[in-house]
Amino acid sequence: GRYFSAGLKPAEKLNPKFVSFMDSCGIDLTGMKPKSMDKIPKLDHFDVIVSLQGPIKSYIPAVPFHSSVLEWDVAPPLSEIVDDQMEEHLNNIYKSILVNIRILMETLCVEEESEYGK
């Protein structure tokens, strides 16, 4: 899959604790910056749109006809987490999103196989 991320109210820069955590997970965020929803290319290019910030209709009023929408309630925003709970919070978010992505990709692969055969 190809992934694109954007937020309703993106921070000016990535949280250093988040960057460090992702680095420990093997994901290099060097040079990455938070993106705003208005920086998203045409939504009709997306097969699946996932919201981590509540109901998708609250910020995408017209979902393209062929796009599927998923709303994953993974955790409150980092800005609401106290410093001493940050590591545990990031770990929980990471695990939750990882499981959800794995299930999504397995589902998409099974649907593709059943439609087109092996």
Side-chain angles (χ1 to χ4, degrees):
R2 288 188 289 169
Y3 307 90
F4 187 87
S5 174
L8 290 174
K9 299 174 188 172
E12 292 291 319
K13 62 181 184 170
L14 293 175
N15 181 310
K17 291 184 180 189
F18 173 70
V19 172
S20 176
F21 174 80
M22 292 306 288
D23 189 51
S24 74
C25 294
I27 299 172
D28 181 13
L29 297 178
T30 304
M32 302 294 276
K33 295 188 297 189
K35 294 177 186 75
S36 177
M37 291 290 292
D38 62 355
K39 302 291 184 200
I40 294 180
K42 291 178 142 187
L43 285 178
D44 59 352
H45 292 246
F46 294 95
D47 295 316
V48 179
I49 301 171
V50 177
S51 170
L52 302 178
Q53 297 177 308
I56 204 146
K57 291 284 187 182
S58 66
Y59 52 93
I60 299 178
V63 174
F65 177 74
H66 77 280
S67 298
S68 296
V69 172
L70 300 172
E71 295 170 354
W72 295 345
D73 183 21
V74 293
L78 292 183
S79 60
E80 296 178 15
I81 305 304
V82 258
D83 260 0
D84 64 342
Q85 297 175 346
M86 185 67 72
E87 184 78 21
E88 180 182 355
H89 181 71
L90 289 170
N91 197 38
N92 290 338
I93 291 172
Y94 180 78
K95 286 179 181 177
S96 178
I97 291 175
L98 187 66
V99 167
N100 283 324
I101 289 173
R102 181 176 296 133
I103 291 168
L104 173 62
M105 296 309 291
E106 287 173 356
T107 301
L108 292 173
C109 287
V110 168
E111 287 178 6
E112 186 173 298
E113 283 181 15
S114 65
E115 185 176 340
Y116 300 108
K118 286 191 174 185

